[in-house]
Amino acid sequence: MSASPYTESIGRLIDELTKLPGIGEKTAQRLTFFLLKAPEEDVKELANALIAVKEHVRYCSVCGNITEQDPCRICRDDRRNKQMICVVEEPNDLFAIERTREYSGLYHVLMGTLSPLDGIGPEDIRIQELLVRLQQASCEEVIIATNPNVEGEATAMYLAKLLKPLGIKITRIAHGIPVGGDLEYADEITMTRALEGRREL
Amino acid sequence: MSASPYTESIGRLIDELTKLPGIGEKTAQRLTFFLLKAPEEDVKELANALIAVKEHVRYCSVCGNITEQDPCRICRDDRRNKQMICVVEEPNDLFAIERTREYSGLYHVLMGTLSPLDGIGPEDIRIQELLVRLQQASCEEVIIATNPNVEGEATAMYLAKLLKPLGIKITRIAHGIPVGGDLEYADEITMTRALEGRREL
Protein backbone atom coordinates (compact mmCIF):
# COMPACT_ATOMS: atom_id res chain seq x y z
CA MET A 1 0.00 0.00 0.00
CA SER A 2 3.06 2.28 0.14
CA ALA A 3 4.90 3.69 -2.88
CA SER A 4 7.31 0.77 -3.37
CA PRO A 5 6.34 -2.65 -2.12
CA TYR A 6 9.99 -3.63 -1.73
CA THR A 7 12.29 -3.12 1.22
CA GLU A 8 15.02 -0.52 0.94
CA SER A 9 17.92 -2.86 0.19
CA ILE A 10 15.90 -4.86 -2.35
CA GLY A 11 14.86 -1.66 -4.13
CA ARG A 12 18.50 -0.57 -4.15
CA LEU A 13 19.75 -3.87 -5.65
CA ILE A 14 17.04 -3.75 -8.33
CA ASP A 15 18.10 -0.18 -9.17
CA GLU A 16 21.76 -1.16 -9.42
CA LEU A 17 21.01 -4.17 -11.61
CA THR A 18 18.86 -2.16 -14.05
CA LYS A 19 21.97 -0.02 -14.76
CA LEU A 20 23.53 -3.03 -16.51
CA PRO A 21 23.09 -3.34 -20.27
CA GLY A 22 20.16 -5.50 -21.39
CA ILE A 23 18.73 -5.76 -17.87
CA GLY A 24 15.35 -4.11 -17.42
CA GLU A 25 13.10 -3.76 -14.38
CA LYS A 26 11.59 -7.26 -14.72
CA THR A 27 14.93 -9.04 -15.18
CA ALA A 28 16.41 -7.09 -12.28
CA GLN A 29 13.51 -8.18 -10.06
CA ARG A 30 13.91 -11.79 -11.15
CA LEU A 31 17.68 -11.70 -10.47
CA THR A 32 17.10 -10.06 -7.09
CA PHE A 33 14.62 -12.72 -5.99
CA PHE A 34 17.03 -15.37 -7.18
CA LEU A 35 19.83 -13.80 -5.16
CA LEU A 36 17.59 -13.56 -2.09
CA LYS A 37 17.10 -17.30 -2.21
CA ALA A 38 20.74 -18.10 -3.07
CA PRO A 39 23.20 -19.07 -0.32
CA GLU A 40 24.90 -16.06 1.26
CA GLU A 41 28.40 -17.26 0.24
CA ASP A 42 27.40 -17.39 -3.45
CA VAL A 43 26.20 -13.80 -3.37
CA LYS A 44 29.33 -12.69 -1.52
CA GLU A 45 31.47 -14.51 -4.11
CA LEU A 46 29.76 -12.51 -6.84
CA ALA A 47 30.20 -9.25 -4.91
CA ASN A 48 33.89 -10.05 -4.34
CA ALA A 49 34.40 -10.96 -8.00
CA LEU A 50 32.96 -7.56 -8.94
CA ILE A 51 35.30 -5.73 -6.58
CA ALA A 52 38.31 -7.85 -7.62
CA VAL A 53 37.79 -7.12 -11.29
CA LYS A 54 37.92 -3.39 -10.64
CA GLU A 55 40.89 -3.65 -8.29
CA HIS A 56 43.10 -6.01 -10.28
CA VAL A 57 42.27 -5.33 -13.90
CA ARG A 58 44.08 -2.51 -15.66
CA TYR A 59 45.00 -1.72 -19.25
CA CYS A 60 48.24 -2.91 -20.80
CA SER A 61 50.47 0.13 -21.33
CA VAL A 62 51.68 -1.32 -24.65
CA CYS A 63 48.62 -2.67 -26.46
CA GLY A 64 45.69 -1.46 -24.35
CA ASN A 65 44.42 -4.95 -23.65
CA ILE A 66 42.92 -5.61 -20.22
CA THR A 67 45.38 -7.34 -17.95
CA GLU A 68 46.32 -7.92 -14.32
CA GLN A 69 50.05 -7.50 -15.03
CA ASP A 70 51.57 -4.76 -17.14
CA PRO A 71 52.57 -5.40 -19.93
CA CYS A 72 49.93 -8.00 -20.68
CA ARG A 73 50.47 -11.72 -21.22
CA ILE A 74 50.40 -11.33 -25.02
CA CYS A 75 52.90 -8.44 -25.12
CA ARG A 76 55.23 -10.35 -22.75
CA ASP A 77 55.06 -13.60 -24.74
CA ASP A 78 58.34 -14.16 -26.65
CA ARG A 79 56.74 -16.76 -28.95
CA ARG A 80 54.48 -14.07 -30.40
CA ASN A 81 55.31 -12.64 -33.81
CA LYS A 82 56.27 -9.05 -33.02
CA GLN A 83 56.21 -8.12 -36.73
CA MET A 84 52.42 -8.15 -36.85
CA ILE A 85 49.99 -5.89 -35.03
CA CYS A 86 46.26 -6.50 -35.23
CA VAL A 87 44.22 -3.36 -34.49
CA VAL A 88 40.87 -3.96 -32.75
CA GLU A 89 38.23 -1.70 -31.24
CA GLU A 90 37.77 -3.29 -27.83
CA PRO A 91 39.38 -5.98 -25.64
CA ASN A 92 36.48 -8.36 -26.37
CA ASP A 93 37.35 -8.20 -30.09
CA LEU A 94 40.87 -9.24 -29.14
CA PHE A 95 39.47 -12.21 -27.20
CA ALA A 96 37.31 -13.17 -30.19
CA ILE A 97 40.47 -13.38 -32.32
CA GLU A 98 42.45 -15.18 -29.59
CA ARG A 99 39.76 -17.85 -29.44
CA THR A 100 40.57 -18.84 -33.03
CA ARG A 101 44.13 -19.78 -31.87
CA GLU A 102 45.19 -18.89 -35.41
CA TYR A 103 46.81 -15.52 -34.81
CA SER A 104 50.20 -15.31 -33.20
CA GLY A 105 51.03 -11.63 -33.60
CA LEU A 106 50.49 -8.70 -31.25
CA TYR A 107 47.45 -6.47 -30.82
CA HIS A 108 46.58 -2.83 -30.47
CA VAL A 109 43.27 -1.95 -28.79
CA LEU A 110 41.86 1.39 -29.93
CA MET A 111 39.27 1.61 -27.11
CA GLY A 112 36.61 2.85 -29.47
CA THR A 113 36.08 3.96 -33.03
CA LEU A 114 36.03 7.27 -34.79
CA SER A 115 32.51 8.63 -34.56
CA PRO A 116 32.22 12.30 -35.50
CA LEU A 117 28.50 12.33 -34.67
CA ASP A 118 29.30 11.37 -31.07
CA GLY A 119 32.23 13.79 -30.99
CA ILE A 120 34.84 11.02 -30.99
CA GLY A 121 37.86 12.06 -33.05
CA PRO A 122 41.32 10.53 -33.63
CA GLU A 123 42.66 12.03 -30.38
CA ASP A 124 39.95 10.28 -28.32
CA ILE A 125 40.99 6.74 -29.23
CA ARG A 126 44.43 5.12 -28.98
CA ILE A 127 45.70 6.12 -32.45
CA GLN A 128 48.60 8.25 -31.21
CA GLU A 129 49.80 5.29 -29.11
CA LEU A 130 49.73 3.10 -32.24
CA LEU A 131 51.84 5.61 -34.19
CA VAL A 132 54.41 5.78 -31.39
CA ARG A 133 54.52 1.97 -31.26
CA LEU A 134 55.04 1.65 -35.01
CA GLN A 135 57.83 4.23 -34.94
CA GLN A 136 59.65 2.61 -32.01
CA ALA A 137 59.45 -1.06 -33.00
CA SER A 138 59.90 -2.78 -36.32
CA CYS A 139 56.58 -4.00 -37.69
CA GLU A 140 55.85 -5.52 -41.08
CA GLU A 141 52.08 -5.70 -41.14
CA VAL A 142 49.17 -3.97 -39.47
CA ILE A 143 45.89 -5.91 -39.72
CA ILE A 144 42.89 -3.65 -39.21
CA ALA A 145 40.17 -5.70 -37.53
CA THR A 146 37.64 -3.02 -36.62
CA ASN A 147 33.98 -4.03 -36.93
CA PRO A 148 32.36 -4.03 -40.39
CA ASN A 149 29.94 -1.18 -39.59
CA VAL A 150 29.97 2.53 -40.46
CA GLU A 151 32.25 3.62 -37.59
CA GLY A 152 34.53 0.60 -37.90
CA GLU A 153 34.95 1.09 -41.66
CA ALA A 154 35.59 4.82 -41.26
CA THR A 155 38.21 4.08 -38.62
CA ALA A 156 39.83 1.46 -40.90
CA MET A 157 39.98 3.96 -43.78
CA TYR A 158 41.43 6.66 -41.55
CA LEU A 159 44.09 4.32 -40.17
CA ALA A 160 45.01 3.00 -43.63
CA LYS A 161 45.55 6.56 -44.89
CA LEU A 162 47.51 7.54 -41.78
CA LEU A 163 49.79 4.48 -41.74
CA LYS A 164 50.48 4.06 -45.49
CA PRO A 165 53.29 6.70 -45.47
CA LEU A 166 55.17 4.64 -42.84
CA GLY A 167 55.80 1.98 -45.49
CA ILE A 168 54.11 -0.78 -43.51
CA LYS A 169 51.78 -3.31 -45.14
CA ILE A 170 48.23 -2.48 -44.07
CA THR A 171 45.56 -5.19 -44.39
CA ARG A 172 41.89 -5.41 -43.51
CA ILE A 173 40.09 -8.58 -42.35
CA ALA A 174 37.88 -10.14 -45.03
CA HIS A 175 34.16 -9.55 -45.18
CA GLY A 176 31.84 -12.12 -46.68
CA ILE A 177 29.31 -14.82 -46.03
CA PRO A 178 29.86 -16.30 -42.56
CA VAL A 179 30.86 -19.97 -42.54
CA GLY A 180 27.70 -22.00 -42.11
CA GLY A 181 25.69 -18.99 -43.26
CA ASP A 182 23.09 -19.12 -45.97
CA LEU A 183 23.46 -17.13 -49.21
CA GLU A 184 19.69 -16.69 -49.26
CA TYR A 185 19.73 -14.74 -46.02
CA ALA A 186 22.87 -12.67 -46.65
CA ASP A 187 22.21 -8.94 -46.92
CA GLU A 188 23.20 -7.14 -50.14
CA ILE A 189 26.28 -5.45 -48.71
CA THR A 190 27.71 -8.68 -47.28
CA MET A 191 26.95 -10.40 -50.60
CA THR A 192 28.69 -7.61 -52.53
CA ARG A 193 31.73 -7.89 -50.24
CA ALA A 194 31.75 -11.67 -50.66
CA LEU A 195 31.82 -11.26 -54.45
CA GLU A 196 34.46 -8.53 -54.37
CA GLY A 197 36.64 -10.63 -52.08
CA ARG A 198 36.42 -13.79 -54.24
CA ARG A 199 39.56 -15.88 -54.55
CA GLU A 200 40.85 -18.26 -57.17
CA LEU A 201 40.56 -21.93 -56.21
CA MET B 1 47.15 -18.99 -27.10
CA SER B 2 46.57 -20.37 -23.59
CA ALA B 3 43.42 -22.18 -22.44
CA SER B 4 41.45 -19.09 -21.37
CA PRO B 5 42.22 -15.79 -23.03
CA TYR B 6 40.90 -13.87 -20.00
CA THR B 7 42.74 -12.80 -16.89
CA GLU B 8 41.99 -14.64 -13.66
CA SER B 9 39.63 -12.08 -12.11
CA ILE B 10 37.74 -11.57 -15.39
CA GLY B 11 37.28 -15.32 -15.76
CA ARG B 12 36.07 -15.48 -12.18
CA LEU B 13 33.49 -12.70 -12.66
CA ILE B 14 32.23 -14.34 -15.86
CA ASP B 15 31.88 -17.64 -13.96
CA GLU B 16 29.96 -15.98 -11.13
CA LEU B 17 27.62 -14.15 -13.51
CA THR B 18 26.77 -17.30 -15.49
CA LYS B 19 25.41 -18.78 -12.24
CA LEU B 20 22.54 -16.27 -12.42
CA PRO B 21 19.31 -17.37 -14.08
CA GLY B 22 18.96 -16.43 -17.75
CA ILE B 23 22.60 -15.33 -18.01
CA GLY B 24 24.73 -17.46 -20.30
CA GLU B 25 28.40 -17.26 -21.25
CA LYS B 26 27.90 -14.53 -23.88
CA THR B 27 25.77 -12.27 -21.66
CA ALA B 28 28.19 -12.76 -18.77
CA GLN B 29 31.07 -11.68 -21.05
CA ARG B 30 29.11 -8.65 -22.22
CA LEU B 31 28.25 -7.65 -18.65
CA THR B 32 31.85 -8.15 -17.56
CA PHE B 33 33.21 -5.92 -20.31
CA PHE B 34 30.57 -3.33 -19.44
CA LEU B 35 31.62 -3.46 -15.78
CA LEU B 36 35.30 -3.18 -16.75
CA LYS B 37 34.52 0.11 -18.48
CA ALA B 38 32.13 1.37 -15.80
CA PRO B 39 33.36 3.76 -13.08
CA GLU B 40 34.80 1.94 -10.06
CA GLU B 41 32.20 3.49 -7.67
CA ASP B 42 29.29 2.14 -9.76
CA VAL B 43 30.66 -1.39 -9.59
CA LYS B 44 31.31 -1.07 -5.84
CA GLU B 45 27.73 0.21 -5.37
CA LEU B 46 26.46 -2.92 -7.07
CA ALA B 47 28.73 -5.15 -4.97
CA ASN B 48 27.58 -3.39 -1.80
CA ALA B 49 23.92 -3.65 -2.79
CA LEU B 50 24.44 -7.40 -3.21
CA ILE B 51 26.03 -7.74 0.21
CA ALA B 52 23.41 -5.48 1.85
CA VAL B 53 20.53 -7.51 0.49
CA LYS B 54 21.91 -10.67 2.06
CA GLU B 55 22.76 -8.96 5.34
CA HIS B 56 19.56 -7.00 5.89
CA VAL B 57 16.84 -9.05 4.26
CA ARG B 58 15.24 -11.87 6.25
CA TYR B 59 11.89 -13.61 6.21
CA CYS B 60 8.94 -12.37 8.24
CA SER B 61 8.30 -14.85 11.07
CA VAL B 62 4.54 -14.37 10.62
CA CYS B 63 3.82 -14.43 6.91
CA GLY B 64 7.13 -15.47 5.31
CA ASN B 65 7.44 -12.28 3.26
CA ILE B 66 10.92 -10.84 2.77
CA THR B 67 11.55 -7.94 5.10
CA GLU B 68 14.24 -5.94 6.87
CA GLN B 69 12.26 -5.78 10.12
CA ASP B 70 10.43 -8.69 11.73
CA PRO B 71 7.40 -8.86 11.54
CA CYS B 72 7.17 -7.30 8.10
CA ARG B 73 5.58 -3.98 7.21
CA ILE B 74 2.34 -5.64 6.09
CA CYS B 75 1.95 -7.78 9.23
CA ARG B 76 2.67 -4.71 11.42
CA ASP B 77 0.19 -2.46 9.59
CA ASP B 78 -2.94 -1.89 11.74
CA ARG B 79 -4.96 -0.64 8.76
CA ARG B 80 -4.71 -4.07 7.17
CA ASN B 81 -7.72 -6.37 7.31
CA LYS B 82 -6.56 -9.19 9.57
CA GLN B 83 -9.59 -11.31 8.67
CA MET B 84 -8.21 -12.14 5.23
CA ILE B 85 -5.09 -14.12 4.37
CA CYS B 86 -3.93 -14.44 0.81
CA VAL B 87 -1.73 -17.51 0.22
CA VAL B 88 1.00 -17.07 -2.41
CA GLU B 89 3.92 -19.19 -3.57
CA GLU B 90 6.76 -16.68 -3.42
CA PRO B 91 7.44 -13.13 -2.19
CA ASN B 92 7.37 -11.83 -5.78
CA ASP B 93 3.77 -13.04 -6.12
CA LEU B 94 2.98 -11.01 -3.02
CA PHE B 95 4.54 -7.94 -4.64
CA ALA B 96 2.52 -8.54 -7.82
CA ILE B 97 -0.68 -8.40 -5.72
CA GLU B 98 0.54 -5.39 -3.71
CA ARG B 99 1.11 -3.47 -6.92
CA THR B 100 -2.63 -3.60 -7.64
CA ARG B 101 -3.23 -1.60 -4.42
CA GLU B 102 -6.60 -3.38 -4.27
CA TYR B 103 -5.91 -5.91 -1.54
CA SER B 104 -5.77 -4.81 2.07
CA GLY B 105 -5.61 -8.16 3.87
CA LEU B 106 -2.60 -10.15 5.08
CA TYR B 107 -0.48 -12.72 3.24
CA HIS B 108 1.04 -16.11 3.76
CA VAL B 109 4.04 -17.04 1.62
CA LEU B 110 4.40 -20.80 1.09
CA MET B 111 7.96 -20.59 -0.26
CA GLY B 112 7.21 -23.10 -2.98
CA THR B 113 4.51 -25.44 -4.18
CA LEU B 114 3.77 -29.09 -3.69
CA SER B 115 5.69 -31.00 -6.32
CA PRO B 116 5.84 -34.75 -5.69
CA LEU B 117 8.06 -35.29 -8.72
CA ASP B 118 10.70 -33.01 -7.20
CA GLY B 119 10.17 -34.57 -3.78
CA ILE B 120 8.49 -31.46 -2.35
CA GLY B 121 5.70 -32.47 0.02
CA PRO B 122 3.47 -30.54 2.46
CA GLU B 123 6.16 -30.52 5.15
CA ASP B 124 8.65 -28.79 2.81
CA ILE B 125 6.60 -25.63 2.28
CA ARG B 126 5.07 -23.33 4.91
CA ILE B 127 1.74 -25.15 5.29
CA GLN B 128 2.18 -26.05 8.96
CA GLU B 129 2.86 -22.37 9.72
CA LEU B 130 -0.39 -21.45 7.95
CA LEU B 131 -2.37 -23.95 10.04
CA VAL B 132 -0.86 -22.60 13.27
CA ARG B 133 -1.70 -19.04 12.19
CA LEU B 134 -5.29 -19.92 11.37
CA GLN B 135 -5.73 -21.66 14.72
CA GLN B 136 -4.24 -18.79 16.71
CA ALA B 137 -5.92 -15.80 15.05
CA SER B 138 -9.46 -15.27 13.83
CA CYS B 139 -9.62 -15.32 10.04
CA GLU B 140 -12.70 -15.24 7.83
CA GLU B 141 -11.30 -15.92 4.39
CA VAL B 142 -8.24 -17.56 2.88
CA ILE B 143 -7.64 -16.58 -0.75
CA ILE B 144 -5.45 -19.12 -2.52
CA ALA B 145 -3.36 -17.27 -5.09
CA THR B 146 -0.91 -19.94 -6.20
CA ASN B 147 0.02 -19.92 -9.88
CA PRO B 148 -2.39 -21.44 -12.41
CA ASN B 149 -0.06 -24.29 -13.40
CA VAL B 150 0.03 -27.97 -12.44
CA GLU B 151 1.93 -27.51 -9.15
CA GLY B 152 0.02 -24.36 -8.20
CA GLU B 153 -3.36 -26.00 -8.84
CA ALA B 154 -2.39 -29.13 -6.93
CA THR B 155 -1.25 -27.00 -3.99
CA ALA B 156 -4.52 -25.03 -4.11
CA MET B 157 -6.56 -28.26 -4.07
CA TYR B 158 -4.52 -29.67 -1.21
CA LEU B 159 -4.91 -26.48 0.86
CA ALA B 160 -8.65 -26.25 0.17
CA LYS B 161 -9.16 -29.82 1.41
CA LEU B 162 -6.94 -29.24 4.45
CA LEU B 163 -8.53 -25.93 5.49
CA LYS B 164 -12.22 -26.65 4.81
CA PRO B 165 -12.69 -28.46 8.17
CA LEU B 166 -11.58 -25.29 9.98
CA GLY B 167 -14.81 -23.62 8.87
CA ILE B 168 -13.03 -20.78 7.07
CA LYS B 169 -14.15 -19.52 3.65
CA ILE B 170 -11.57 -20.69 1.09
CA THR B 171 -11.47 -18.89 -2.28
CA ARG B 172 -9.29 -19.18 -5.37
CA ILE B 173 -8.29 -16.27 -7.62
CA ALA B 174 -10.14 -16.20 -10.95
CA HIS B 175 -8.62 -17.58 -14.14
CA GLY B 176 -9.65 -16.21 -17.50
CA ILE B 177 -8.67 -14.07 -20.44
CA PRO B 178 -6.15 -11.42 -19.34
CA VAL B 179 -7.40 -7.83 -19.60
CA GLY B 180 -6.21 -6.48 -22.95
CA GLY B 181 -5.75 -10.07 -24.14
CA ASP B 182 -7.17 -11.40 -27.36
CA LEU B 183 -9.70 -14.26 -27.41
CA GLU B 184 -8.16 -15.44 -30.65
CA TYR B 185 -4.84 -16.15 -28.97
CA ALA B 186 -6.16 -17.61 -25.71
CA ASP B 187 -5.30 -21.27 -25.17
CA GLU B 188 -8.12 -23.77 -24.71
CA ILE B 189 -7.66 -24.19 -20.98
CA THR B 190 -7.72 -20.46 -20.28
CA MET B 191 -10.77 -20.13 -22.55
CA THR B 192 -12.51 -22.97 -20.69
CA ARG B 193 -11.74 -21.31 -17.37
CA ALA B 194 -13.02 -17.98 -18.67
CA LEU B 195 -16.31 -19.61 -19.67
CA GLU B 196 -16.64 -21.51 -16.41
CA GLY B 197 -15.98 -18.37 -14.42
CA ARG B 198 -18.52 -16.25 -16.31
CA ARG B 199 -20.51 -13.76 -14.23
CA GLU B 200 -23.89 -12.17 -14.67
CA LEU B 201 -23.77 -8.54 -15.78
Side-chain angles (χ1 to χ4, degrees):
Chain A
M1 298 239 133
S2 78
S4 162
Y6 303 114
T7 73
E8 196 202 318
S9 56
I10 293 175
R12 196 176 130 211
L13 180 57
I14 293 175
D15 283 352
E16 291 296 330
L17 288 170
T18 45
K19 290 179 188 165
L20 299 175
I23 294 188
E25 183 79 14
K26 284 271 165 186
T27 309
Q29 281 173 18
R30 194 164 46 88
L31 290 174
T32 299
F33 284 109
F34 172 86
L35 292 164
L36 278 169
K37 280 193 140 188
E40 182 155 359
E41 312 87 78
D42 288 10
V43 179
K44 292 217 161 140
E45 288 266 317
L46 172 58
N48 291 336
L50 282 163
I51 292 168
V53 109
K54 291 312 268 192
E55 276 173 2
H56 300 322
V57 177
R58 65 201 78 193
Y59 295 109
C60 172
S61 59
V62 181
C63 72
N65 182 18
I66 44 180
T67 182
E68 298 188 22
Q69 276 181 284
D70 191 21
C72 76
R73 191 176 46 77
I74 296 170
C75 290
R76 281 198 318 268
D77 191 341
D78 286 333
R79 293 162 305 175
R80 288 275 179 167
N81 177 359
K82 305 220 184 304
Q83 305 301 314
M84 283 177 118
I85 293 180
C86 178
V87 178
V88 292
E89 292 177 16
E90 301 285 349
N92 33 347
D93 300 324
L94 181 157
F95 293 124
I97 296 173
E98 278 298 281
R99 277 194 291 270
T100 67
R101 293 163 192 261
E102 290 292 334
Y103 178 71
S104 62
L106 303 179
Y107 291 94
H108 190 84
V109 183
L110 292 175
M111 287 294 162
T113 43
L114 296 178
S115 181
L117 285 177
D118 301 317
I120 300 171
E123 64 289 340
D124 299 312
I125 59 176
R126 299 180 66 255
I127 289 180
Q128 185 58 39
E129 286 86 341
L130 177 62
L131 280 174
V132 170
R133 251 181 107 178
L134 292 172
Q135 275 149 7
Q136 283 173 351
S138 71
C139 172
E140 286 168 2
E141 182 176 353
V142 171
I143 304 171
I144 304 177
T146 53
N147 284 309
N149 53 27
V150 177
E151 290 84 8
E153 290 295 348
T155 308
M157 289 302 132
Y158 179 89
L159 283 176
K161 216 169 161 183
L162 187 75
L163 303 181
K164 272 277 163 65
L166 302 179
I168 303 165
K169 185 176 168 190
I170 314 291
T171 56
R172 176 91 175 102
I173 50 162
H175 300 321
I177 308 292
V179 179
D182 204 322
L183 287 193
E184 193 182 350
Y185 301 120
D187 62 284
E188 291 84 346
I189 299 169
T190 304
M191 197 66 227
T192 308
R193 294 294 179 83
L195 284 168
E196 281 171 2
R198 68 189 180 277
R199 291 207 216 169
E200 210 170 322
L201 290 177
Chain B
M1 297 247 135
S2 80
S4 162
Y6 304 114
T7 73
E8 194 202 321
S9 56
I10 293 175
R12 198 177 128 210
L13 181 55
I14 293 175
D15 283 350
E16 290 296 330
L17 288 171
T18 45
K19 290 179 188 167
L20 299 175
I23 294 188
E25 184 80 16
K26 284 269 166 190
T27 309
Q29 281 173 18
R30 195 164 44 89
L31 289 173
T32 300
F33 284 111
F34 172 86
L35 291 164
L36 280 169
K37 279 192 142 188
E40 184 155 357
E41 311 91 76
D42 289 8
V43 179
K44 292 217 162 142
E45 289 266 318
L46 173 59
N48 291 336
L50 282 164
I51 292 167
V53 110
K54 291 312 267 192
E55 277 174 1
H56 300 322
V57 177
R58 67 199 77 193
Y59 295 108
C60 172
S61 58
V62 181
C63 72
N65 182 20
I66 43 178
T67 182
E68 296 188 22
Q69 277 179 283
D70 190 21
C72 76
R73 191 175 48 73
I74 295 170
C75 291
R76 283 199 317 270
D77 192 340
D78 286 332
R79 293 163 303 174
R80 288 275 180 167
N81 177 0
K82 306 219 184 305
Q83 305 301 314
M84 283 176 117
I85 293 180
C86 178
V87 178
V88 293
E89 292 177 16
E90 300 284 348
N92 32 349
D93 300 323
L94 182 159
F95 294 125
I97 296 172
E98 280 297 281
R99 277 194 291 269
T100 66
R101 292 163 194 262
E102 290 294 333
Y103 179 70
S104 62
L106 302 180
Y107 291 93
H108 190 82
V109 183
L110 292 176
M111 287 296 163
T113 43
L114 296 179
S115 181
L117 286 177
D118 301 319
I120 299 171
E123 61 292 339
D124 299 313
I125 60 176
R126 298 180 68 256
I127 289 180
Q128 185 57 39
E129 287 87 339
L130 177 62
L131 280 175
V132 170
R133 251 181 108 178
L134 292 173
Q135 275 150 6
Q136 282 173 351
S138 72
C139 172
E140 287 167 3
E141 183 176 350
V142 170
I143 303 170
I144 304 176
T146 53
N147 283 310
N149 53 28
V150 177
E151 290 84 8
E153 291 295 347
T155 309
M157 289 302 132
Y158 179 88
L159 283 176
K161 216 169 160 182
L162 188 74
L163 303 181
K164 272 276 164 66
L166 302 179
I168 303 164
K169 187 174 165 190
I170 313 290
T171 56
R172 176 92 175 101
I173 50 161
H175 300 322
I177 309 292
V179 178
D182 207 320
L183 287 195
E184 194 181 351
Y185 301 121
D187 62 283
E188 292 84 349
I189 299 168
T190 304
M191 198 65 226
T192 307
R193 294 295 179 84
L195 284 169
E196 283 170 1
R198 68 191 180 276
R199 290 210 218 166
E200 211 172 318
L201 291 174

